[in-house]
Amino acid sequence: MEYLAGSIVTVVVVVTVFTYLIVRMAMRYEEKKLAAKTGAGERVEQILAETQAEVSKLRERVQVLERLATDEDRRVASEISRLGDGPAIRG
């Protein structure tokens, strides 16, 4: 009987150790999966922030280009007006 009791204890210990190892491996897998999701979320936020910054820069550049385009029209019109008011060149 003692042999049977010792065998049962051995089996219980082995099953307990295997169960612990399996649960621990499953927990590590879930932790890695969660870390990957969190890392991906942080990357998405970083990309979004970079995109918003780029859009902001592009808006500023468009404003500058619009200003240059309208200023150029005024400058050209002013130069034409001055040329028309000046003395005529005869050859």
Side-chain angles (χ1 to χ4, degrees):
M1 209 42 139
E2 287 180 32
Y3 175 73
L4 183 60
S7 296
I8 292 175
V9 169
T10 303
V11 168
V12 168
V13 168
V14 169
V15 168
T16 304
V17 169
F18 279 130
T19 303
Y20 170 78
L21 292 174
I22 290 170
V23 168
R24 182 148 169 98
M25 286 180 2
M27 287 177 61
R28 282 187 181 172
Y29 174 76
E30 290 299 321
E31 287 173 355
K32 287 181 181 180
K33 211 163 72 167
L34 181 62
K37 284 182 182 178
T38 304
E42 290 172 356
R43 180 68 181 136
V44 167
E45 288 178 14
Q46 179 185 4
I47 291 171
L48 181 60
E50 290 172 359
T51 302
Q52 288 173 340
E54 185 70 20
V55 167
S56 178
K57 287 179 186 177
L58 290 173
R59 282 184 180 154
E60 290 175 11
R61 291 180 73 181
V62 167
Q63 288 174 349
V64 169
L65 291 173
E66 287 174 342
R67 209 173 324 120
L68 288 174
T70 57
D71 286 348
E72 182 67 20
D73 289 346
R74 289 181 188 161
R75 187 182 62 78
V76 170
S78 173
E79 287 180 17
I80 291 173
S81 175
R82 273 189 276 138
L83 289 174
D85 292 341
I89 300 176
R90 296 186 182 196

